[in-house]
């Protein structure tokens, strides 16, 4: 099943069910007005949403209309909790080697950080930047949205609570990353609003691409129309279930919690490329002593997309432009 939220002037938008080919949609108000409402009552909402989805794909659903991703908000425009991981240790290893960083990282303990969850950005919305001197960067990630998870749940129980999967551009302002990290209390100015794909899908939509709690598909990135990378999600050092279990060790996770994977990074980076500029620039430091790839600047456009084995887009594309912020 594929779900999206369309703009209607409200903070949470209106929930629609989207066809598998992403061409059509139907209003889901008869089941749940918003995705927040659907997540709060998933066991009750899911059958009705599935019924709409099946009829939409069969071409028998009344009220179907053309799906326009430019009208989409983030699938869950705001939520109670967004946590981001750094689940691809290859990314951290590259950064540490390039810049001689010393990181206290206990063996086997995943890296997680609480993030902003009150203002997600839609897939085609312009992204406002206060200053280009803040070293604007993109970060391609996978993300999951979960149902209620009880404190102390196992990794298997947590994985079973994953209801939806999507992709994100977790924008970073690199000028602030190291200073804020050294303060020892998490990121603020380094991590502004996160951008979401137009569609979130149930795990079954990925077929063999969802295995061992990981999205084992390529994430394709392009900058200004030019392909830059296509790393695969299979190399996560912790599965989403394991990350959620660590997060839920001594707390309940409420329905609608979003968990990001962290920058997708593969050991064969020379072949598949990097999902963020910081990693690309670090590789340039290691290879030639200095970075050469510039940070993002005004008017640049980024695109993120995942396709299935038949070349069909799964989540739709994040396709947005970076612009100077106006007050």
């Amino acid at each position: 099943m594929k779900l999206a939220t369309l703009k209607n002037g409200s903070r949470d938008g209106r929930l629609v069910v989207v066809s598998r080919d992403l061409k059509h949609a139907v209003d889901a108000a008869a089941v749940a007005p918003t995705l927040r409402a659907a997540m709060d009552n998933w066991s009750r909402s899911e059958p009705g949403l599935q019924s709409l989805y099946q009829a939409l794909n069969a071409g028998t659903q009344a009220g179907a209309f053309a799906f326009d991703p430019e009208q989409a908000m983030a699938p869950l425009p705001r939520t109670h909790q967004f946590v981001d991981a750094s689940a691809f240790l290859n990314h951290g290893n590259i950064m540490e080697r390039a810049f001689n960083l010393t990181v206290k990282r206990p063996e086997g303990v995943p890296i997680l950080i609480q993030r902003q969850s009150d203002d997600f950005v839609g897939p085609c919305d312009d992204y406002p930047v206060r200053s280009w001197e803040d070293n604007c960067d993109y970060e391609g990630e996978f993300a999951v949205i979960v149902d209620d998870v009880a404190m102390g749940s196992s990794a298997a129980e947590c994985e079973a609570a994953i209801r939806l999967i999507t992709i994100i551009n977790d924008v970073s302002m690199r000028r602030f990353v190291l200073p804020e990290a050294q303060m020892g209390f998490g990121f603020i100015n380094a991590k502004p609003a996160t951008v979401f794909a137009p569609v979130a899908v149930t795990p079954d939509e990925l077929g063999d691409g969802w295995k061992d709690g990981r999205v084992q598909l390529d994430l394709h990135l392009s900058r200004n129309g030019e392909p830059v990378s296509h790393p695969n999600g299979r190399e996560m050092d912790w599965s989403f279930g394991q990350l959620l279990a660590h997060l839920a060790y001594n707390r309940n996770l409420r329905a609608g919690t979003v968990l990001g994977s962290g920058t997708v990074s593969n050991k064969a980076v020379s072949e598949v490329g990097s999902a963020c500029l910081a990693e690309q620039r670090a590789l340039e430091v290691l290879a030639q002593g200095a970075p050469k790839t510039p940070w993002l600047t005004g008017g640049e456009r980024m695109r993120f997309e995942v396709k299935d084995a038949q070349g069909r887009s799964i989540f739709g594309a994040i396709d947005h432009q970076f612009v100077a912020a106006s007050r």
Side-chain angles (χ1 to χ4, degrees):
M1 179 169 59
K2 301 191 175 189
L3 302 174
T5 295
L6 298 185
K7 299 171 182 176
N8 67 352
S10 71
R11 294 180 187 268
D12 297 308
R14 67 180 179 116
L15 178 63
V16 297
V17 176
V18 182
S19 61
R20 182 169 286 113
D21 62 9
L22 305 179
K23 292 182 178 180
H24 298 93
V26 63
D27 193 277
V31 179
T34 66
L35 186 52
R36 287 186 67 173
M39 293 303 307
D40 282 341
N41 298 280
W42 187 259
S43 62
R44 187 177 65 188
S45 300
E46 193 267 346
L49 295 173
Q50 283 284 5
S51 179
L52 288 173
Y53 185 61
Q54 292 166 9
L56 186 62
N57 287 323
T60 60
Q61 178 60 50
F65 55 89
F67 177 63
D68 181 3
E70 292 194 3
Q71 294 302 309
M73 305 171 75
L76 198 60
R78 56 177 179 159
T79 193
H80 314 290
Q81 179 171 223
F82 171 34
V83 175
D84 200 29
S86 183
F88 293 85
L89 292 182
N90 186 65
H91 170 70
N93 292 338
I94 291 171
M95 302 302 293
E96 290 163 30
R97 285 175 17 233
F99 301 109
N100 297 313
L101 302 175
T102 300
V103 179
K104 296 179 180 179
R105 191 168 60 203
E107 187 72 23
V109 179
I111 303 167
L112 298 169
I113 186 169
Q114 297 281 171
R115 292 290 311 284
Q116 170 227 40
S117 63
D118 59 337
D119 186 31
F120 296 142
V121 178
C124 301
D125 294 341
D126 286 346
Y127 195 96
V129 177
R130 284 288 306 275
S131 172
W132 304 112
E133 294 180 359
D134 292 341
N135 299 340
C136 182
D137 194 359
Y138 54 83
E139 288 193 54
E141 303 187 17
F142 295 102
V144 298
I145 305 173
V146 302
D147 205 337
D148 287 324
V149 174
M151 180 174 65
S153 292
S154 68
E157 290 169 331
C158 289
E159 184 177 326
I162 294 172
R163 297 291 175 252
L164 297 169
I165 304 170
T166 191
I167 57 174
I168 62 177
N169 176 12
D170 195 37
V171 177
S172 292
M173 299 301 164
R174 296 295 179 182
R175 182 169 76 89
F176 299 106
V177 169
L178 187 57
E180 291 187 339
Q182 290 174 331
M183 292 169 67
F185 211 59
F187 297 130
I188 297 296
N189 294 144
K191 302 298 292 188
T194 299
V195 187
F196 281 69
V199 170
V201 311
T202 48
D204 60 290
E205 290 292 330
L206 275 63
D208 293 339
W210 176 247
K211 185 179 180 181
D212 299 327
R214 297 165 172 85
V215 180
Q216 305 203 16
L217 296 166
D218 289 349
L219 175 58
H220 294 268
L221 284 73
S222 65
R223 182 178 185 180
N224 302 319
E226 295 294 326
V228 294
S229 64
H230 54 94
N232 193 289
R234 70 170 66 94
E235 292 186 28
M236 282 177 71
D237 289 86
W238 294 271
S239 71
F240 275 110
Q242 291 170 323
L243 294 171
L244 287 163
H246 181 77
L247 181 60
Y249 169 75
N250 59 0
R251 69 174 90 177
N252 297 313
L253 308 182
R254 294 308 182 192
T257 293
V258 177
L259 174 65
S261 66
T263 304
V264 181
S265 182
N266 292 171
K267 292 180 176 64
V269 65
S270 61
E271 301 171 21
V272 303
S274 297
C276 71
L277 292 173
E279 183 176 293
Q280 175 62 35
R281 287 166 60 90
L283 291 167
E284 292 164 356
V285 169
L286 291 170
Q288 59 200 33
K292 66 177 183 179
T293 301
W295 302 111
L296 291 171
T297 190
E300 293 206 69
R301 180 172 290 276
M302 290 299 305
R303 184 180 177 92
F304 305 73
E305 193 169 21
V306 174
K307 297 182 179 181
D308 63 17
Q310 288 72 45
R312 299 170 299 197
S313 184
I314 296 175
F315 310 102
I318 296 172
D319 191 344
H320 68 131
Q321 190 174 43
F322 289 82
V323 300
S326 58
R327 296 198 59 157

